[in-house]
Amino acid sequence: MNAARMMFSASLYIIVCSARNRIRVRLRRLREPRYLFGAIAGVAYFYFAFFSRVRAGRAGRRRRAAPMPSPDVMAALTASGPAAAGLLLMVVTTAFSALPVTSSLLVFSDAEIQFLFPAPVSRRQLLLHRMMRSQLGILFGIIVFSVIFPSASGYARLQTGISLWLLFATWRVYFAGISLARTRLTDRAASARRTAWTPMLVLVAALAVVAISVARAFATRPVESAQDVLSRLSEVAAIPVVRILLFPFVALVRPFFAEWPWPFVLALGPAALVLAAAIVWVLRTDEGFEEAATQASARQAAARQARIAPAPTARAVGWTLALSGPTEGLFLWKNAVQIARATTGLTLIRYAVPLALIVVSMSTSVMASRNAVGLAMALCSIAIYIAAFTVMLGPQIMRTDLRDDLRHLELLKTWPLRASAVIRGEMLFPGAVLTAIAWLALTCAAILSAAGFPRLSLAWRMSGALSALLLTPALVFAQLMVHNAAAVLFPAWVPLGTSRPRGVDAMGQRLILFGAVLLTLAVMMAPGLIVSAILWFAFYRFIGAAVLIPGAVICLVMVAAEVLTATEALGPAFERLDVTSIERVE
Amino acid sequence: MAFTVEHLRRVYGSLHAVDDLSFHVGEGEIVGLIGPNGAGKTTTLRCLAGILRPTAGRVRIDGHDIVEDPIEAKRRLAFMPDEPHLFEYLTVEEHLRLTARLYAVRDFEPRARALVEELELTGKEKSLPGELSRGMRQKVVIACGLVRDATTLLFDEPLTGLDPIGIRKMRETIVARGRAGAAILLSSHLLHLVEEICTRVIIMDRGRIVADGTFEELASRADLATIGSNLEQIFMRVTGRDTAT
């Protein structure tokens, strides 16, 4: 057996066995109730979130007979679509080629590096193996997309799937070539440098020629309509030079626009040709393979490790642990130090940017629906959403408590501490931080409340704000209690550190846990709310809006009592908690 | 008084990792716990340390039951595992301080200084575990175990990852603690270390004790008398790995 066939069969063996074993593991773990229930919840979620909506949408379309674009527009789209999409693809490809991003095709797993790199196989064969392995991921993504793709016919789904596969496969291979070329841009040998620079310079030059032609087409007279834009792009694409330069890009997108079945089949030929050309080019420019692959794999491994356990920095935190004091204080210090050292500007951006986007978009939608205007009103609305988001989702996101410290359970179990104090101590830091953030946002909202709620009197606004301030720690600590109770009672359900198990079953587990948290929160708040309601009916007529405040105080006190009682009750369960329930038996 | 193990059993599913284990380690005794891989040594030590809950049996540290009275039992205990588990966000100094608070160590500062020097951690006090080599991390775990006056010391492969100087110092430290009256149980595959510093040896196989005694006692056992007093030969014989027989 020659080396190429040997590598091909070895590659196929790795891919098939890995895929088979991964499916087996996923199926085998369904024997455990937590994964079975999780899988049921996950499948149900998918069904209701996607499939039922797709079916309902289809039925709705049939009933409504949604208006189609005019025949002229459809004709223009069919005629000019490939040119416009090809042009877009060219621009995106050039932009990405200039970015210092390494192709994922050059990322090998640790096992691949250990087993295949020292094996008697060529670099080309290794690249072919990696290309073959990447197909599974592409195919899976495309199947999922094709299923949820809003389309009336199965053929259209098939056409979209095949077109997407050709596009993504070529895209990946091409960027592997670009990544390989990049490693030789500063090579000592002039010929190597020439070979490395050529594809990028050719691409930029091609884009420049096409851009000039497009600019000329649009500079002569103003644009009249979308149809006009498409027809002018079509004219540009028909220019012989531009046609040649755009060929690979247009060929890759043409299958999306071709009619089913024969025009589509005919469009596949040129697209396949482009893919084959990209593969040949990459296999011929494999000189910098080892360096590029090793660097890419190391970067990927570091990024993966950073996601599991971000590398902290030993910065001073200005808080020295006192040598005596309550257990809770010890955990407050430990978790505060952890956050202070784990949090970097980048981490803050990672959480702050999505949070800001969510809050701003939600606020904007509310403002729009109420026809509200004014900066003060907008800020008030944003502050309320920040507070609500922090209180309701903060305890789920901020896991610097027992959920994170299950990783250190072996160490915690050797400490001579009361288990209930450990649980309380673990909750203290995230609870304090979330409460502080929510309080800050609520204080801002209270200050701006005159603009945010112009119809409410000062008494109502201040009573409401004060009540919200009082209820915040109750809601935060009640939720943290449920999350930590879950960690003690069902440790196997809790992902360790920042790692997250994958799969529909794991997603279902998270949904179940979230539902359980909400349910428990409702149960915990119920006694306080009932007493508050009684107070309302008894005293509202005498003290008005101020009755909200004693109601909130009662809720806070009752939830505090419940949390204390629950942590005491969880103590024996923590004592019984076995490290083998969260780790494999040695 | 030190510590006593009575009919200890630990089961994982259908696997009896530790089965009916009973022994006593007195004050000043250094007992070596040896056995082939999978014999149940680490499970035994983890049960003694309160990490794993025994399926059956009792473990008493200075008379305090590890299950019924865990806080008092753990106060007297120091466990040094084979794999150094440290908080990745706390420095060496902060780990020692944390330990001092947990165990209410009175003269913490001079003790910590002496230990840092003894274990050659000087200059690493402000370092995080991620910045230390495995051997250094092992030394931090050992320092945390020794910064307090534990009456019972449990070592699981204490020399793993240490350099020759560290090994020598560690050996001296264990012997010194034993002489000072601590009851020490040391699990190791390094038979020459066990032979050198232990006053008694317990050999485990398949979750059970197959031999327990001083080297002289073991060597004089009827079934072992012919093979000499070499611990390796004794180990091979009692665990059934002696192919010569």
Side-chain angles (χ1 to χ4, degrees):
Chain A
M1 190 188 285
N2 64 30
R5 280 183 60 193
M6 183 270 292
M7 185 58 211
F8 180 76
S9 61
S11 183
L12 211 58
Y13 182 75
I14 293 169
I15 293 164
V16 172
C17 290
S18 301
R20 188 189 59 204
N21 293 338
R22 187 173 298 162
I23 293 167
R24 267 190 195 163
V25 167
R26 294 262 165 95
L27 289 176
R28 200 182 299 148
R29 72 184 188 187
L30 292 181
R31 288 181 200 155
E32 293 177 47
R34 64 191 171 114
Y35 283 111
L36 181 64
F37 291 132
I40 293 167
V43 169
Y45 173 76
F46 265 120
Y47 177 80
F48 289 112
F50 298 111
F51 299 114
S52 63
R53 199 192 299 167
V54 168
R55 286 174 60 185
R58 218 182 282 162
R61 269 200 305 278
R62 263 185 236 122
R63 280 195 300 273
R64 286 194 306 272
M68 294 288 287
S70 70
D72 291 347
V73 173
M74 282 303 289
L77 199 63
T78 311
S80 318
L87 188 62
L88 183 68
L89 184 61
M90 187 188 207
V91 172
V92 173
T93 305
T94 314
F96 272 87
S97 300
L99 290 174
V101 182
T102 306
S103 164
S104 60
L105 265 190
L106 297 178
V107 176
F108 287 80
S109 69
D110 291 342
E112 281 172 328
I113 291 173
Q114 195 173 322
F115 280 91
L116 300 182
F117 277 42
V121 289
S122 69
R123 292 179 293 216
R124 290 177 187 184
Q125 286 157 358
L126 284 175
L127 267 169
L128 272 175
H129 158 72
R130 191 61 191 84
M131 286 178 197
M132 282 168 63
R133 184 160 76 77
S134 73
Q135 297 312 307
L136 273 184
I138 296 176
L139 283 173
F140 181 75
I142 286 168
I143 288 168
V144 171
F145 181 81
S146 303
V147 168
I148 62 172
F149 180 69
S151 172
S153 77
Y155 292 128
R157 287 179 205 280
L158 184 64
Q159 179 174 354
T160 311
I162 294 171
S163 308
L164 278 173
W165 174 76
L166 271 168
L167 180 66
F168 283 122
T170 312
W171 178 269
R172 277 205 177 188
V173 173
Y174 169 77
F175 276 103
I178 286 289
S179 302
L180 286 172
R182 257 194 226 125
T183 60
R184 311 201 74 200
L185 289 177
T186 53
D187 202 291
R188 283 186 184 175
S191 62
R193 282 203 306 274
R194 217 169 21 246
T195 314
W197 279 102
T198 302
M200 290 183 219
L201 293 177
V202 166
L203 191 61
V204 172
L207 183 66
V209 170
V210 174
I212 289 166
S213 304
V214 171
R216 275 186 192 152
F218 283 86
T220 50
R221 59 181 197 280
V223 174
E224 290 165 7
S225 63
Q227 203 177 331
D228 183 32
V229 172
L230 288 172
S231 66
R232 283 196 218 181
L233 284 176
S234 200
E235 283 166 21
V236 171
I239 299 169
V241 179
V242 176
R243 196 173 176 181
I244 293 168
L245 294 175
L246 274 181
F247 169 75
F249 305 99
V250 173
L252 281 174
V253 296
R254 196 179 290 283
F256 287 98
F257 297 91
E259 281 180 27
W260 182 268
W262 296 115
F264 168 70
V265 173
L266 289 175
L268 289 180
L273 196 68
V274 175
L275 172 61
I279 292 173
V280 170
W281 171 60
V282 170
L283 293 180
R284 287 174 69 88
T285 54
D286 63 344
E287 290 282 315
F289 170 73
E290 283 90 349
E291 195 185 336
T294 313
Q295 281 176 6
S297 304
R299 267 201 300 272
Q300 183 82 358
R304 205 182 306 130
Q305 181 59 31
R307 279 198 293 276
I308 297 165
T313 47
R315 69 172 79 107
V317 290
W319 182 5
T320 306
L321 178 69
L323 287 172
S324 60
T327 302
E328 286 87 345
L330 184 149
F331 281 94
L332 179 69
W333 170 82
K334 182 185 81 61
N335 292 338
V337 170
Q338 174 176 339
I339 285 294
R341 291 194 175 138
T343 310
T344 59
L346 200 67
T347 317
L348 279 178
I349 288 169
R350 209 167 59 188
Y351 289 104
V353 169
L355 175 69
L357 284 174
I358 292 168
V359 168
V360 169
S361 56
M362 285 168 76
S363 307
T364 311
S365 65
V366 169
M367 297 275 293
S369 66
R370 290 171 48 194
N371 294 322
V373 287
L375 183 64
M377 190 179 263
L379 290 175
C380 178
S381 171
I382 288 173
I384 288 173
Y385 274 105
I386 288 175
F389 188 90
T390 308
V391 170
M392 294 316 296
L393 289 176
Q396 174 110 339
I397 296 166
M398 194 166 186
R399 297 159 49 86
T400 322
D401 50 23
L402 206 51
R403 285 171 285 176
D404 184 52
D405 257 348
L406 279 183
R407 287 183 297 149
H408 301 293
L409 185 63
E410 190 162 325
L411 191 57
L412 298 185
K413 294 282 277 183
T414 62
W415 288 356
L417 300 173
R418 285 188 66 229
S420 52
V422 172
I423 299 166
R424 275 195 299 274
E426 290 279 19
M427 286 160 47
L428 212 52
F429 179 73
V433 169
L434 292 172
T435 302
I437 294 171
W439 274 354
L440 189 67
L442 284 171
T443 307
C444 292
I447 293 165
L448 297 161
S449 61
F453 301 94
R455 289 182 189 171
L456 293 182
S457 69
L458 179 69
W460 268 104
R461 283 187 273 117
M462 289 305 113
S463 301
L466 205 55
S467 308
L469 288 172
L470 286 165
L471 283 176
T472 295
L475 289 165
V476 166
F477 278 95
Q479 287 179 79
L480 285 172
M481 208 285 297
V482 181
H483 283 295
N484 283 275
V488 173
L489 298 172
F490 310 104
W493 283 63
V494 178
L496 295 185
T498 51
S499 66
R500 294 286 178 279
R502 292 176 179 180
V504 177
D505 43 3
M507 191 191 74
Q509 281 179 26
R510 286 195 278 275
L511 286 171
I512 292 173
L513 191 62
F514 187 63
V517 169
L518 291 182
L519 184 68
T520 317
L521 185 64
V523 171
M524 287 180 80
M525 294 297 290
L529 289 174
I530 291 168
V531 176
S532 302
I534 295 167
L535 273 181
W536 173 278
F537 287 114
F539 296 104
Y540 175 64
R541 73 182 86 165
F542 305 113
I543 58 173
V547 76
L548 289 173
I549 298 166
V553 170
I554 286 168
C555 273
L556 176 63
V557 171
M558 292 188 96
V559 171
E562 285 167 350
V563 168
L564 280 174
T565 312
T567 50
E568 286 298 327
L570 283 170
F574 183 80
E575 289 290 357
R576 282 194 302 274
L577 183 57
D578 202 314
V579 285
T580 53
S581 57
I582 56 163
E583 63 178 10
R584 287 180 183 282
V585 176
E586 284 177 302
Chain B
M1 198 183 281
F3 69 96
T4 307
V5 177
E6 291 168 12
H7 306 292
L8 179 71
R9 184 184 301 152
R10 173 67 205 201
V11 178
Y12 297 117
S14 59
L15 173 73
H16 288 249
V18 175
D19 197 6
D20 198 27
L21 213 65
S22 296
F23 62 91
H24 172 82
V25 179
E27 287 171 14
E29 253 194 306
I30 304 176
V31 177
L33 184 66
I34 59 175
N37 290 332
K41 305 183 298 293
T42 298
T43 300
T44 303
L45 287 174
R46 290 171 125 201
C47 286
L48 291 179
I51 297 168
L52 289 175
R53 211 177 167 83
T55 308
R58 294 174 81 102
V59 174
R60 271 191 286 240
I61 316 287
D62 281 345
H64 299 279
D65 192 289
I66 195 78
V67 175
E68 286 163 12
D69 190 8
I71 295 178
E72 283 310 313
K74 287 173 185 176
R75 229 188 273 284
R76 290 158 173 79
L77 186 81
F79 174 50
M80 270 71 66
D82 56 341
E83 194 58 43
H85 292 294
L86 296 166
F87 291 102
E88 57 267 42
Y89 299 97
L90 300 186
T91 62
V92 172
E93 188 185 23
E94 285 166 347
H95 271 98
L96 288 169
R97 208 172 176 82
L98 177 75
T99 311
R101 168 139 168 188
L102 283 167
Y103 293 88
V105 178
R106 282 197 191 124
D107 45 351
F108 163 69
E109 300 286 352
R111 270 170 179 263
R113 261 199 308 277
L115 263 174
V116 163
E117 218 163 281
E118 186 186 336
L119 293 169
E120 295 185 317
L121 287 166
T122 312
K124 302 286 181 192
E125 296 93 330
K126 304 282 181 199
S127 301
L128 292 171
E131 298 163 344
L132 302 174
S133 67
R134 194 198 180 282
M136 282 288 187
R137 290 204 300 274
Q138 184 73 12
K139 284 181 182 179
V140 177
V141 169
I142 292 163
C144 289
L146 300 181
V147 77
R148 58 192 198 264
D149 281 326
T151 58
T152 297
L153 298 174
L154 307 174
F155 291 94
D156 192 2
E157 295 290 351
L159 306 186
T160 310
L162 297 184
D163 58 19
I165 304 162
I167 289 174
R168 187 174 174 178
K169 290 222 168 188
M170 197 61 237
R171 229 165 32 200
E172 289 168 5
T173 303
I174 293 171
V175 171
R177 294 280 163 161
R179 285 198 185 127
I184 298 173
L185 185 65
L186 182 153
S187 163
S188 180
H189 287 299
L190 304 175
L191 299 184
H192 62 90
L193 169 83
V194 173
E195 210 163 0
E196 190 184 338
I197 67 172
C198 293
T199 53
R200 203 177 110 209
V201 65
I202 294 172
I203 305 176
M204 286 183 73
D205 193 18
R206 297 182 184 92
R208 288 174 166 269
I209 292 178
V210 288
D212 181 358
T214 62
F215 300 110
E216 292 74 26
E217 285 168 354
L218 293 180
S220 63
R221 241 170 68 170
D223 56 328
L224 304 172
T226 54
I227 59 164
S229 59
N230 182 305
L231 182 57
E232 189 178 322
Q233 290 166 322
I234 293 171
F235 176 80
M236 292 297 184
R237 172 66 61 88
V238 298
T239 56
R241 270 77 170 176
D242 188 358
T243 50
T245 57

